[in-house]
Amino acid sequence: MRSSRVLRSVTQAAQSAGTVNATLTRARPALPTGGYPSEASRPKLFIPGPIEFHPEVLKAMAAGARGHTDPTLIEDFGRSIEMIREVFISKDAQPFVISGSGALGWDAVATNLVQEGEKALVVQTGHFSDRFTECFVQYGVKVTVIETPAPGARPSNQDIEKALSDAKKAGDPFKVITITGVDTSTAVLADLKNICDIVKAVSPDTLVVVDAVCSAAGEELRMDEWGVDFVLTGSQKAFGVPPGLAIMICSQKALARIPPKDKIRNYFANLQRWLPIMNAYEARQPSYFATPAVNTVGALRVGLDQMLATPGGMDGYFAKHREVKTKVHAAVKDMGLELLTANSDIAANLLTCIRYPKGKGAPQVLPAMKQAGWFLAAGLHPQCKDEYFRVGHMGYSVTQTDMLDRLLADLKKVVQA
């Protein structure tokens, strides 16, 4: 009798579960692969990242999976490490390629290059400079911020020099200075070379750290020549590779300052744990700490090959993006629009922040552009996010296609409608 009751209970539970599952299945209609019915119907990405990707990069992403000890993956990884040095124009800096967002680089800096209670100087140019500050505070680093006078402006180099000098004279120099190459919220391009010169002259023991998430590869950066000690970025912007890789490169000077691995207050972003992995891959040997994003590493190798094949190499790639900026800013002026950035001279080559025309805002501009086939980004800076929108112009879509010309023609129609 008891077994019969148990059987009935099990049967009823199974029937109930089947009903629930059927209901859930009916409530979830099938979705097209990639979210859109066809590639032609997908709005093309002109945001500050991710960007449009070359078909060969996408082919590498869609390739069959490889194990992390597969010799072909090790070759892709090793070549990528070597090419990253070329991208940042360095002979001996140490690259790191780790699964994660570019923001993982903040944790790496805050735990490997500076310790709890030590001092960091942050050059503020927008929202992402502020988030770097938040990361430092989370780890107990003492932060001094050189503030910008307004969104879209640069802070004063004289203020930077004074802060460095005062700290050095007091016998407690900053361990690091952080500079956001291009702040994604404002399109302000850092005065990087001049700031590096100031650091070398005033506080040479201070490590120069560049958050290059929105500037790496497309904006000029000469690591060895300028004296940059650490660069962090992500794969999804001017590198032209889908999101998923935190890419960092560390000077030998900075590498020598990283404490032993048991003294670093982060496990996954502990560069002492990753260093032997990077060395092994570059030596074309298998190694393991955590499973790499194997398909994205394969895509990275393809993207780097394409970038470095630009006529003129990195100088040619920088020049192409400067030309694109000139075209975009001329079009913005022709439309009667204004930049959020204080002037064109301090604006990024990879991103433009454009104030909405009078009487229009995001609801009138962004949906209309999406309908025309273009996905643009809304404003982001907390003080003025409703006043402007952002157009990313980097990598494949602006260096190898005519998409930008078509986008600008459609934008003119929308803002002048």
Side-chain angles (χ1 to χ4, degrees):
M1 179 70 72
R2 181 181 176 189
S3 62
S4 177
R5 287 199 301 271
V6 170
L7 180 60
R8 283 198 300 273
S9 297
V10 170
T11 302
Q12 291 168 355
Q15 291 172 341
S16 176
T19 301
V20 170
N21 288 336
T23 301
L24 289 174
T25 301
R26 286 197 297 271
R28 292 198 303 267
L31 295 175
T33 300
Y36 290 91
S38 67
E39 176 60 15
S41 67
R42 179 183 65 85
K44 302 306 179 277
L45 276 177
F46 275 77
I47 62 176
I51 65 170
E52 292 294 311
F53 304 119
H54 192 283
E56 287 298 309
V57 171
L58 295 176
K59 182 179 177 181
M61 282 296 292
R66 292 176 286 177
H68 56 276
T69 59
D70 186 314
T72 66
L73 178 74
I74 293 170
E75 182 62 32
D76 277 351
F77 215 134
R79 285 196 189 186
S80 295
I81 290 170
E82 292 162 354
M83 287 190 285
I84 287 168
R85 283 197 193 92
E86 295 181 53
V87 168
F88 292 107
I89 314 177
S90 176
K91 292 180 179 179
D92 63 357
Q94 176 59 55
F96 293 87
V97 180
I98 303 174
S99 301
S101 167
L104 180 63
W106 294 338
D107 290 81
V109 170
T111 56
N112 289 265
L113 300 184
V114 60
Q115 301 303 308
E116 186 174 7
E118 294 181 337
K119 293 167 50 179
L121 183 64
V122 174
V123 179
Q124 181 200 62
T125 48
H127 177 63
F128 287 92
S129 311
D130 294 338
R131 289 185 61 186
F132 207 159
T133 296
E134 290 176 2
C135 183
F136 278 133
V137 171
Q138 180 87 22
Y139 287 107
V141 176
K142 296 178 181 177
V143 183
T144 298
V145 178
I146 304 298
E147 296 184 349
T148 184
R154 278 177 177 169
S156 162
N157 283 359
Q158 288 74 24
D159 289 345
I160 296 170
E161 182 173 359
K162 184 177 187 304
L164 289 166
S165 178
D166 288 350
K168 182 74 182 298
K169 289 176 182 176
D172 188 18
F174 291 100
K175 293 293 181 180
V176 298
I177 178 173
T178 67
I179 305 151
T180 304
V182 170
D183 197 292
T184 316
S185 70
T186 60
V188 171
L189 175 65
D191 190 13
L192 183 56
K193 183 180 184 302
N194 285 329
I195 295 174
C196 288
D197 288 342
I198 290 169
V199 176
K200 283 188 284 188
V202 175
S203 185
D205 290 336
T206 299
L207 298 176
V208 176
V209 175
V210 180
D211 174 349
V213 169
C214 195
S215 63
E219 302 287 0
E220 185 176 5
L221 192 161
R222 300 177 184 277
M223 192 167 181
D224 290 355
E225 180 183 338
W226 293 359
V228 174
D229 293 296
F230 193 94
V231 184
L232 64 100
T233 190
S235 53
Q236 72 275 17
K237 303 200 186 227
F239 270 78
V241 179
L245 296 177
I247 299 169
M248 296 169 268
I249 185 166
C250 182
S251 73
Q252 291 298 316
K253 173 183 172 182
L255 201 62
R257 301 230 192 137
I258 299 176
K261 65 182 177 184
D262 59 343
K263 302 297 184 183
I264 296 170
R265 294 160 299 131
N266 188 297
Y267 189 76
F268 188 73
N270 187 322
L271 297 184
Q272 293 286 26
R273 298 185 184 278
W274 285 107
L275 182 58
I277 312 303
M278 299 299 113
N279 288 339
Y281 277 130
E282 189 167 8
R284 308 307 195 264
Q285 298 295 320
S287 193
Y288 178 79
F289 169 55
T291 303
V294 293
N295 283 50
T296 318
V297 169
L300 175 64
R301 194 271 299 165
V302 174
L304 288 166
D305 274 340
Q306 292 178 344
M307 189 191 311
L308 293 170
T310 304
M314 289 310 300
D315 285 331
Y317 202 61
F318 299 149
K320 279 183 175 288
H321 286 92
R322 286 193 290 267
E323 291 168 8
V324 168
K325 167 190 166 177
T326 299
K327 176 186 288 189
V328 172
H329 285 208
V332 168
K333 184 177 181 180
D334 178 64
M335 295 176 208
L337 302 178
E338 297 179 353
L339 302 175
L340 173 73
T341 319
N343 58 66
S344 187
D345 291 340
I346 69 166
N349 295 301
L350 314 185
L351 165 69
T352 299
C353 291
I354 306 170
R355 293 187 182 276
Y356 289 112
K358 187 175 180 180
K360 287 186 168 67
Q364 291 75 40
V365 174
L366 300 184
M369 286 301 291
K370 186 177 180 182
Q371 184 67 32
W374 313 105
F375 201 104
L376 308 183
L380 182 63
H381 196 289
Q383 293 182 29
C384 53
K385 61 185 177 66
D386 296 328
E387 298 175 13
Y388 71 102
F389 62 101
R390 297 174 294 152
V391 180
H393 37 81
M394 63 190 91
Y396 164 69
S397 58
V398 298
T399 60
Q400 299 184 50
T401 78
D402 66 348
M403 282 192 253
L404 182 63
D405 292 331
R406 292 185 279 126
L407 180 151
L408 292 172
D410 286 337
L411 180 60
K412 185 173 184 178
K413 293 175 186 175
V414 167
V415 299
Q416 295 183 351

